[in-house]
Amino acid sequence: MFSLNGTSFTNNSLSGVSRCLNQSSRRVSAPMVVVAAVNSNGKPGDGSVSVLVENALTESPAPVEMEVKSTVTGGVQDVYGEDSATEDQSITPWTLSVASGFSLLRNPHYNKGLAFSERERDTHYLRGLLPPVVISHDLQVKKMMNSIRKYDVPLQRYMAMMDLQEMNERLFYKLLIDNVEELLPIVYTPTVGEACQKYGSIFRRPQGLFISLKEKGKIHEVLKNWPEKKIQVIVVTDGERILGLGDLGCQGMGIPVGKLSLYTALGGIRPSACLPVTIDVGTNNENLLNDEFYIGLRQRRATGQEYSELLDEFMYAVKQNYGEKVLIQFEDFANHNAFDLLAKYGTSHLVFNDDIQGTASVVLAGLMAALNLVGGSLSEHTFLFLGAGEAGTGIAELIALEMSKQTGIPLEETRKKIWMVDSKGLIVKSRMEMLQHFKRPWAHDHEPVQELVNAVKSIKPTVLIGSSGAGRTFTKEVVQAMATFNEKPIIFALSNPTSQSECTAEEAYSWSEGRAIFASGSPFAPVEYNGKVYASGQANNAYIFPGFGLGLIISGAIRVHDDMLLVASEALADEVSQENFEKGLIYPPFSNIRKISAHIRAKVAAKAYELGLATRLPQPKDLVAYAESCMYSPAYRSYR
Ligand SMILES: O=C([O-])CC(=O)C(=O)O
Ligand SMILES: [Mg+2]
């Protein structure tokens, strides 16, 4: 028991502190979260409680930081680590954590390292636990960047970043936000691919939830083991198709972790609202099954009923634990499950498949921008895809939809402008019987063609898109063929990571004599060809999903709709400046990504309101300003 401002509380009703504050201060507007309440001397009876209040949505300090001095009649320190699930859920969004001294330094959410001020060191039992110097957040960033740059191997940089995330979350995000172009390829594609391949060896601490067949029947409880309760976005994989690297089983965890760090850094969703999940139903990867350091279930993949029962239980438990409006992003599932899961849960949950929908939206944006360089409208172009899986067919469908919207021509007709080659050659009507359902809309009248190069020569596409997961498949002959009948061939090599890219930037520019409009899923450094420097764009779904996700969240959307993907594409294409076009770029630089994300978010939210899918009412007047005000900032809080 302790009392604050004349009110008594038990330790497990500390959320009452928040209510008391809220009632006693006219200066604080809900929703606010108490992030630290520390008994400054720890002795019952004569201490004081200092409390920091912050905005629940953004984790940024509230307009007014409050210090409440009051007589404490009981110790409050011992509530540290108490399960906040025991708190009265009806008073959400109040949450409370208490940390001081050594445990404060060990808590990545609150730790500031050498940036703790003299006063904080006094009031939070930090004296002696830190060396004397006090440094600024900016200097910490500079210091970390210096040490990260000393590593030559990208995986070492990745591990240094993961260590930092575990040690000081706000420093991690500030580093990432301030150095996004340099660090994106480290915490995300392509390095995250290598991290997944070696995840068993580099695994240190769990960064997300592992839900395996062993947890069947207990998933509801497993979700409760996660320390955060107010989850807004889940990225989930079953590891069967990690980037273009194939089945990495349980080691796919690097992907949800990486994607969610971008949700925070690029999209502005607070870290504690993000939950990375890996569903482990086994792996068919023999190397992993025989690897003594493999961290997952050592069995072949469960399929059929066993698989769908586990997924069903997971999806149900998520809704039970976090409500209707939690966004579930499916990532890197194999084709045979990805389409089915999206269709199955699309009507009951807020689900989004990044590989089908996010990639589609980002590629459509790139194409819209490319039209400024090559001319013509979308429907005047002809498209050929290598790879008819999630990404390929997802992009194709969104292009066909946009063409149909622009021209009024029915979707069945606009689809005919789009051709696909898979591992068995051109997708044509005579193969219909044998085709998986998601490939069928793309089977057109044509004689069978085996090789990509022959398909290119026969179809004469203006746009060639690689979504095959197979590296070096856009050969010299293929690129040269594109360059013979197109003045400016549009070539997208989307597969990830770099090793799986259908061709390199250098190949695209040199084989097309510098005429290609090129973009790739993984980043390539600028290329010099014939004395001219060519910078290419990164057609990566990282441009879309963080802003798209927050657009859904701020509007309280309950379903994803294709029209939201279309407006996200338009919003991204609008961000490409004249200066970018002059350099041949069809994507804006990632350095502007937070601003870009705010625009995408506002457009997606506006569409959700227009479609009647938004539940957060009333609609904010200025959605861009509102979106910006909701963004998580990694600025340190001051614990007074
Ligand atoms: O992770 C990325 O860079 C893009 C993506 O979703 C994939 O390749 O599966
Ligand atoms: Mg993916």
Side-chain angles (χ1 to χ4, degrees), residues 72 105 147 173 196 226 233 358 445 498 522 530 533 554 598:
V72 174
L105 293 181
S147 51
Y173 281 113
C196 288
W226 186 249
V233 193
D445 280 321
T498 320
S522 299
N530 268 358
V533 176
I554 61 172

Side-chain angles (χ1 to χ4, degrees), residues 42-255:
K43 289 192 201 116
D46 59 353
S48 71
V49 180
S50 75
V51 181
L52 174 80
V53 194
E54 73 176 16
N55 184 307
L57 201 59
T58 63
E59 284 191 359
S60 54
V64 183
E65 281 178 18
M66 297 183 55
E67 188 176 20
V68 178
K69 294 277 181 196
S70 160
T71 305
V72 174
T73 56
V76 293
Q77 279 186 310
D78 51 342
V79 300
Y80 176 64
E82 190 166 287
D83 180 5
S84 56
T86 58
E87 289 185 9
D88 179 3
Q89 295 293 319
S90 64
I91 54 144
T92 57
W94 305 116
T95 57
L96 183 95
S97 335
V98 179
S100 69
F102 195 70
S103 50
L104 182 54
L105 293 181
R106 287 287 179 275
N107 188 326
H109 297 310
Y110 306 133
N111 183 24
K112 303 204 258 183
L114 295 180
F116 277 112
S117 68
E118 300 289 358
R119 176 130 190 247
E120 287 166 339
R121 292 174 191 214
D122 278 333
T123 54
H124 296 274
Y125 306 95
L126 295 171
R127 285 277 163 215
L129 299 181
L130 290 164
V133 73
V134 176
I135 68 175
S136 69
H137 209 174
D138 284 334
L139 193 61
Q140 283 183 307
V141 167
K142 184 173 172 191
K143 186 172 151 215
M144 265 320 287
M145 285 310 293
N146 273 348
S147 51
I148 282 179
R149 286 180 186 137
K150 289 206 178 94
Y151 294 118
D152 292 328
V153 180
L155 191 62
Q156 287 175 331
R157 294 185 178 199
Y158 174 89
M159 288 164 70
M161 285 300 283
M162 292 305 109
D163 283 348
L164 179 60
Q165 193 174 15
E166 282 295 315
M167 201 168 71
N168 180 338
E169 191 175 85
R170 283 174 186 260
L171 184 54
F172 170 84
Y173 281 113
K174 186 163 167 59
L175 211 67
L176 189 49
I177 291 167
D178 291 357
N179 300 277
V180 68
E181 292 197 314
E182 185 173 346
L183 294 178
L184 205 61
I186 302 298
V187 300
Y188 185 60
T189 304
T191 310
V192 71
E194 191 187 350
C196 288
Q197 287 174 310
K198 299 180 179 157
Y199 206 77
S201 311
I202 64 173
F203 174 81
R204 293 174 186 199
R205 286 208 213 166
Q207 297 165 293
L209 272 181
F210 294 93
I211 298 180
S212 77
L213 289 169
K214 287 192 203 171
E215 278 70 56
K216 194 153 185 270
K218 302 177 211 158
I219 299 181
H220 185 67
E221 285 69 41
V222 172
L223 292 181
K224 293 206 178 301
N225 290 344
W226 186 249
E228 306 295 345
K229 309 298 166 199
K230 304 282 177 281
I231 300 299
Q232 294 178 312
V233 193
I234 293 174
V235 176
V236 57
T237 187
D238 73 352
E240 191 166 4
R241 197 277 293 147
I242 292 299
L243 307 177
L245 299 170
D247 184 351
L248 297 184
C250 191
Q251 305 197 160
M253 180 58 104
I255 294 293

